[in-house]
Amino acid sequence: MTSVPHPTHDAEELCPAGRELYERALREGHVPAEAARATPCLLDFGLLHPAVDDLHRLEPVVPAVALRRLLRISGERIASERRREERLAETFGPLLAAPGHDPSSAGTPTLTLLSGKERINRAITEAMADASRELLTVQPRARITRDRVEAAYAVATSRDQALLDRGGRIRTLYQHTLRHSPLTVAHQERLTGDIEARALDEVTDRLIVVDRAIAFLPADTEGALALEIRHPAIVGYLATAFDRLWRLATPVFPEALPQPSLNGVTPRQHAIAALLVEGHTDAVIADRLGMNIRTARVHIAKLAATLGSQSRAQLGFLIGRSGILDREA
C-alpha cells in the first residue's frame, strides 16, 4: 500500500494527525517511535523527543515549554529581518540621494521591503486597483497547504477579474506540474476576459509585474517578506525576462496543447535528462521541476528504459550519445 506523503506545514498549522498523536503522548506520557513516522512534524517542531532510556520511545515536550521555544525562534527571525531592513535602508539610502535620482519620485520609494503576508497582499491589491493594462505573473509550485492555496486564489480572483473587467489582460507562467492542478484549473475557469496561461518545466521564483510599472518579488523562502519594486529599469528588465520565458512556454489555458515526444522522449524527460547530465541528485531534480521525488524517479526510470540503460552511470552516457539534448527543449 502506498503511503501518503506528509503535508508541509508550519508549527502554527499543526496537522490533524500530528495534533492527535501529540495529545496521545501528553495523555500517556510517551508513544512508540514507530507511531511518529507518519508525522515527522512533531520531531521537526520539537514536540516529541526520544526517551533517554529507550530510543524506541518518544516522550512529549510540555506544551508551555514548546510554545516558549517556538516563540523565541519566531522572535529571533523577526529581529533578524528587522536588522536586514535596517541594512537595506543604510545601503540604498545614499543611492536614492545620489545625483541623477529623480526628486519627483521621492515620495514613492523605488524599493520597499514588505513584511507580513497581509501587508504584501494589501500592497499587491493596491497596485492592482490602479492597473489598467496588464498583469504578468510567474507561479511556481507552492510549498504551502491546500487551504492556504485556496485562500490565495480567493483573494487573487476578485482583483484579477476587476482588471479584466477594465479591459486589461493577464498572462501567467506556471510550472508544468501545476497545469492539471484542480485549484489552478478552477481559478482559470472562474475568470473571464483576456487571460492566458503557459507552462514550463522550470520557471523563476514567484514574480508579479503590474502594468510594467510595479513588480513584486519574494524576499525570503517562507513568503513572509517581499520586495515592491518601482524602479523603471528593474521592472523593465523583469518584464523582458518574463516575455522571453513566455515565448519558450507551452500554452495551457484557455486550451492546452498536447506534449510532443521525440524518439519516445517526452519534454518532461528531456528536462530531466538535462539535469541528470549536470550531475544533480533525484531530490534536486524533483525540486527544480516542481514534482515530488517519487514522480521524478518514475520519469528517470522511463527515460532509462527508453534509452536501454542498466545503471545511473550508463544513463548519463546514453543521454549524451543519443543527441536528445542537442535539440531545442
Side-chain angles (χ1 to χ4, degrees), residues 40-62:
C41 57
L42 296 179
L43 291 171
D44 293 341
F45 299 146
L47 300 180
L48 295 178
H49 62 83
V52 175
D53 57 344
D54 185 355
L55 297 181
H56 298 290
R57 189 178 67 192
L58 297 176
E59 297 177 344
V61 174
V62 177

Side-chain angles (χ1 to χ4, degrees), residues 257 286 290:
L257 294 182

Side-chain angles (χ1 to χ4, degrees), residues 174-177 199-203 259 267-272 288-291:
Y174 293 107
Q175 277 185 289
H176 272 308
T177 47
L200 284 170
D201 281 299
E202 289 188 80
V203 297
Q259 294 290 294
R268 177 61 50 79
Q269 292 165 6
H270 178 277
I272 288 175
R288 289 274 293 270
L289 300 183
M291 61 181 69

Side-chain angles (χ1 to χ4, degrees), residues 7 21 31 51 58 73 81 83 87 101 148 170 173 175 212 218 228 273-274 304 316:
L21 185 61
V31 292
L58 297 176
I73 293 173
E81 294 302 338
R83 290 192 294 270
R87 292 195 300 271
H101 177 65
R148 288 173 62 182
I170 297 177
L173 274 173
Q175 277 185 289
R212 297 183 182 252
E228 179 183 316

